[in-house]
Amino acid sequence: MLRVAVVGSGPSGVYTAQSLVQSEPGALVDVLDRLPCPYGLVRYGVAPDHEKIKSLQNNLRAVLEHERVRFLGGVPVGPGGLSATRLRQLYDAVVYCVGAAADRQLGIPGEELPGSWSATEFVSWYSAHPDATAAGFVRGARSAVVIGVGNVAVDVTRILARGAAELSRTDIPQAALTALAASGITDVHMVGRRGPSQARFTTKELRELGALPGTEVTVDPAELALDPDCLDPAALPAVRRRNVEELRNWAALPPQGAPRRIHLRFFLRPVELLADAGRVGAVRFERTAPDGQGGVRGTGQLIHIEAQLVLRSVGYRGVPLDGLPFDAEHGTVPHRAGRVVREGRTVPGEYVAGWIKRGPTGVIGTNRPDAKETVTSLLADASMLVPKEPSEDPLAVLRAEGFEPVEWGGWEAIERAEAELGLSLGRGGVVKLPDWDALLAAVREARA
């Protein structure tokens, strides 16, 4: 019997568990998470109005309800929790699927001003992540700048512009819904340093901006003209070609006079956040131009965009895991086909999957083959991992050592509490519990 701990209950962790129980009939898998709720970024990263993507939770749920898979929430790994050494004592193998938790910085003056946030902080707030402490994002703001042109940037732009009536039908927490309903933001500028043909958003996400009630999308034809690939996009890959075609359509439209406006801007590199009365008041950009080698160069021309709210969405980065080696340059754990590498040698029993293995790349589905590769390596090592004598159930050991794991019944209690909250608020569906106290209160009530 092979006992495996999977650290992290997002898609990479759940797909790892699925591959293990499908490939090895004798495998018992504990999926550990420091949060009392499963699903990782599917619960706390997918925008509340993306219900189709969020429905992936149903597929992940089926894995976590498998008879040989056990969800153990509320179990931190690292400082203040289980160490990597202790995990290896409790389990025959450990697979770390902890994602990339840090945001990349802009590294420009004024980035620390009040009103300047990472997109992740904003997403955590409207997703009711229990660690989200920031509030007041939109208070007093008339204009917002989102720096970045990937799908996360599109998500936060859309949420800033979407009306409360549509959001009230989602699981967005009540405090965030109330704040967004009272928002005075009329203009959202989504800005990229390179050209439209190099933007990383998908066409589906892009088109959603044009479908928002009471909102018009503007594109500057002069910025499209700076991109040679926009003049004749026929040779571009399909997604980039469709993106350019959509942007060209918007650029050709006359002003519509809508109450809210989304401005898609390109060839602008942020160089400074400017203060006004002690907080962000504007962003100074330098105009860029294609350098002929796939990148851009500065032109020296400066442009200011008013903004009382700035959200940076320029990528994620893995953080070191206590007790594991770390490649600081790439923000990943060194590995070979998922096997952790220490001092040039692989370590049977320690593995990685997901973003901490490959970096923050790909889509949710990319985690399936990634997890399978790691599981293949793990099972090839099985003969070195399985003890001759059956080991003690780790759950009993965790409880004896003072941990209070949230099992599947505790998670189901949270689900019931969120359904009851939505009903009490008259919103007709689930409404997320907003903080640690509310989540753990639901678990305690189920245990009583």
Side-chain angles (χ1 to χ4, degrees):
M1 182 173 62
L2 180 68
R3 287 191 182 275
V4 180
V6 173
V7 182
S9 65
S12 64
V14 175
Y15 291 149
T16 297
Q18 182 181 45
S19 185
L20 276 165
V21 295
Q22 288 179 343
S23 304
E24 176 50 59
L28 298 177
V29 183
D30 283 350
V31 179
L32 280 57
D33 202 299
R34 72 179 186 87
L35 299 179
C37 307
Y39 310 138
L41 282 179
V42 177
R43 176 174 168 88
Y44 289 120
V46 175
D49 58 343
H50 272 179
E51 296 179 2
K52 184 175 181 180
I53 301 176
K54 290 172 75 69
S55 69
L56 177 63
Q57 291 182 11
N58 296 328
N59 297 336
L60 302 181
R61 182 187 196 95
V63 177
L64 293 174
E65 290 182 331
H66 190 281
E67 62 182 358
R68 288 186 284 118
V69 176
R70 186 166 57 181
F71 172 70
L72 300 179
V75 180
V77 173
L82 281 173
S83 68
T85 300
R86 188 65 178 126
L87 268 177
R88 282 292 288 116
Q89 292 170 346
L90 293 176
Y91 293 91
D92 304 324
V94 182
V95 186
Y96 294 90
C97 307
V98 294
D103 295 279
R104 293 187 181 276
Q105 301 285 316
L106 296 172
I108 61 176
E111 190 170 5
E112 74 291 344
L113 284 169
S116 167
W117 310 90
S118 71
T120 299
E121 291 173 301
F122 186 61
V123 170
S124 293
W125 172 68
Y126 70 60
S127 297
H129 194 292
D131 289 341
T133 56
F137 289 96
V138 298
R139 189 183 303 132
R142 303 178 304 277
S143 176
V145 165
V146 178
I147 298 174
V149 285
N151 279 344
V152 174
V154 176
D155 279 347
V156 299
T157 295
R158 189 182 65 256
I159 294 298
L160 284 170
R162 187 178 282 286
E166 298 93 60
L167 286 174
S168 67
R169 296 191 289 268
T170 73
D171 64 4
I172 190 170
Q174 187 64 27
L177 177 64
T178 300
L180 290 166
S183 169
I185 293 177
T186 57
D187 292 86
V188 184
H189 306 259
M190 191 173 78
V191 187
R193 65 183 179 88
R194 297 198 292 179
S197 68
Q198 296 171 308
R200 295 189 176 183
F201 42 64
T202 59
T203 310
K204 180 180 180 297
E205 292 261 2
L206 182 64
R207 286 172 177 164
E208 288 179 347
L209 297 179
L212 296 175
T215 303
E216 65 178 298
V217 179
T218 72
V219 178
D220 187 346
E223 291 180 346
L224 293 186
L226 291 173
D227 189 337
D229 287 325
C230 286
L231 301 177
D232 182 9
L236 290 173
V239 173
R240 292 166 60 190
R241 183 181 70 250
R242 289 193 295 266
N243 287 346
V244 168
E245 290 169 350
E246 198 70 26
L247 293 168
R248 290 171 65 177
N249 290 338
W250 281 328
L253 292 175
Q256 301 164 40
R260 292 184 297 273
R261 293 162 294 280
I262 294 173
H263 310 268
L264 304 182
R265 305 295 306 273
F266 301 95
F267 291 114
L268 293 174
R269 176 167 55 203
V271 295
E272 185 177 5
L273 304 190
L274 305 175
D276 180 14
R279 59 175 293 116
V280 168
V283 184
R284 176 179 289 154
F285 291 93
E286 180 186 19
R287 170 68 71 196
T288 62
D291 64 4
Q293 299 177 347
V296 293
R297 57 176 177 79
T299 66
Q301 178 187 358
L302 298 178
I303 295 173
H304 291 188
I305 298 179
E306 177 193 351
Q308 296 78 39
L309 169 64
V310 176
L311 300 173
R312 68 175 184 275
S313 181
V314 291
Y316 301 95
R317 185 173 179 81
V319 297
L321 296 170
D322 191 46
L324 289 182
F326 188 69
D327 181 343
E329 180 180 353
H330 299 99
T332 57
V333 171
H335 73 93
R336 291 184 192 138
R339 294 182 177 92
V340 171
V341 173
R342 292 180 181 271
E343 299 178 351
R345 294 187 299 177
T346 57
V347 181
E350 293 182 324
Y351 307 87
V352 287
W355 280 3
I356 199 63
K357 171 186 175 184
R358 68 179 188 274
T361 61
V363 295
I364 290 175
T366 309
N367 291 294
R368 282 187 181 276
D370 180 278
K372 186 174 182 180
E373 179 190 56
T374 294
V375 168
T376 299
S377 295
L378 189 159
L379 294 180
D381 298 340
S383 62
M384 296 181 284
L385 303 175
V386 179
K388 294 181 180 179
E389 298 295 329
S391 55
E392 187 176 358
D393 184 353
L395 178 56
V397 177
L398 290 172
R399 286 173 175 159
E401 294 184 0
F403 293 95
E404 297 184 9
V406 177
E407 297 182 74
W408 194 250
W411 160 239
E412 290 178 320
I414 291 172
E415 289 184 304
R416 289 193 298 271
E418 292 185 334
E420 292 167 2
L421 178 59
L423 186 63
S424 70
L425 293 170
R427 287 177 50 185
V430 168
V431 173
K432 284 182 178 176
L433 296 177
D435 51 44
W436 279 101
D437 288 344
L439 291 168
L440 296 181
V443 174
R444 285 194 297 270
E445 185 173 338
R447 288 172 174 166

